[in-house]
Amino acid sequence: MIADQIDRETWEQPGWTIAEHTSNGPQPWDQTKYIVLHYTAASSTPDSFDQVEAYIQAMQRDYVSNRGYSLGYNWCVDRHGRIWEIRGADYRCAANGNSDLNRCGPAILCLVNGKDAANQAMIDSVNKTIATIYTAIGHPVDVVGHYQLKPTAC
């Protein structure tokens, strides 16, 4: 959906795919009221392509093993501005707190270090993702932080 995104098939591992661990259908664009930004809250995040790929794979395995479902974000943006497809448009978000919040807002995870601000490459890629979502839904909507929908440090 997003030009130059790193498709899910690039990083997924057999037995741990999004499709194997979600029953959600496509993101319902006609119900979109906002776009939700998340961040990892990890003190440091990986940098190289291979490290980010391994990080996303590990998160996916952790979610499946400990939560019983796949990563809930639609896309992930790393510090180099690479856009990683997680659920993409193919599967509804599962990261915002509950079914109503998920249905109304796709989620973008930003791999920042701790509470660092996003760098320009990340900002540009987040804006590119948002613009693509606006095209999919046919109009702009608010962009909110996860904390604005559900009490969280995110």
Side-chain angles (χ1 to χ4, degrees), residues 1 4 11 13 16-17 20 32-34 40 43-44 49 52 63 77 90 93 108 110 126 133 135 137 140 143 153:
M1 177 174 171
D4 302 322
W11 64 266
Q13 300 172 303
W16 300 99
T17 66
E20 292 170 298
T32 301
K33 297 179 183 175
Y34 41 73
T40 60
S43 59
S44 69
F49 183 97
V52 174
Y63 269 61
V77 175
D90 298 329
C93 172
I108 303 168
C110 299
V126 167
I133 293 168
T135 298
I137 63 176
V143 177

Side-chain angles (χ1 to χ4, degrees), residues 52-63:
V52 174
E53 179 180 49
Y55 188 78
I56 293 171
Q57 290 168 340
M59 282 194 307
Q60 170 67 352
R61 290 189 306 272
D62 180 69
Y63 269 61

Side-chain angles (χ1 to χ4, degrees), residues 60-105:
Q60 170 67 352
R61 290 189 306 272
D62 180 69
Y63 269 61
V64 169
S65 298
N66 295 311
R67 299 182 188 197
Y69 61 91
S70 70
L71 277 170
Y73 311 102
N74 297 85
W75 291 276
C76 175
V77 175
D78 69 25
R79 288 182 287 136
H80 286 278
R82 293 177 292 236
I83 302 168
W84 298 76
E85 179 188 40
I86 307 298
R87 288 179 174 224
D90 298 329
Y91 302 100
R92 187 179 73 232
C93 172
N96 297 332
N98 64 47
S99 291
D100 289 337
L101 296 174
N102 293 331
R103 187 175 298 106
C104 295

